[in-house]
Amino acid sequence: MEKTFTCIECPLGCTITAKREKDELLISGNTCPKGKAYVEAEMTEPKRILTTTVKLKNGNMLPVKTDKAIKKENLFLAMKKISLLCFSSPIKIGDILVENFLDGANLIATDNAF
């Protein structure tokens, strides 16, 4: 099976093709090594940084994100866990709200709440 990717690792946006032949992953079209690494990761264990919001006790919402990528397959689990959370102010941008939230990533505030 052949799969085509648009690399997001640098401004070039290379169109990269990956194909599995037996136990080997054949990658072509990348201009730099970052593209090859990107496609290898996407083919073996895709990950994403999760950005969303959490509830505050005052009724407002606070934007948050994971401080590193989590497995793509765990995004729905992460959102389910986040839906159960509620925090009190004050919170400063960069505060860790949940340490080791999922896949070793912390959940951090991306704005202030006073």
Side-chain angles (χ1 to χ4, degrees):
M1 176 176 94
E2 189 172 289
K3 194 164 181 182
T4 303
F5 298 86
T6 300
C7 183
I8 60 171
E9 294 297 311
C10 79
L12 291 176
C14 297
T15 299
I16 302 173
T17 303
K19 184 167 49 169
R20 285 204 185 276
E21 284 190 10
K22 299 180 184 178
D23 292 337
E24 192 175 0
L25 182 60
L26 304 173
I27 297 173
S28 62
N30 57 300
T31 305
C32 68
K34 289 180 182 181
K36 183 175 186 225
Y38 168 72
V39 170
E40 286 173 345
E42 282 295 298
M43 291 291 290
T44 57
E45 188 177 60
K47 294 182 177 185
R48 301 289 185 267
I49 292 197
L50 174 65
T51 58
T52 188
T53 56
V54 294
K55 293 180 255 180
L56 295 175
K57 290 190 178 175
N58 66 8
N60 291 331
M61 302 296 284
L62 177 72
V64 296
K65 71 173 192 157
T66 54
D67 63 354
K68 69 179 202 175
I70 61 174
K71 293 177 186 174
K72 188 176 174 183
E73 66 190 39
N74 288 338
L75 289 175
F76 286 108
L77 171 62
M79 290 304 295
K80 187 178 242 186
K81 289 174 75 169
I82 285 171
S83 72
L84 303 173
L85 299 174
C86 191
F87 297 95
S88 297
S89 302
I91 297 171
K92 294 180 188 166
I93 191 169
D95 281 355
I96 295 174
L97 301 176
V98 181
E99 198 169 336
N100 197 19
F101 171 68
L102 198 61
D103 295 338
N106 299 316
L107 188 66
I108 62 169
T110 59
D111 200 0
N112 298 311
F114 297 104

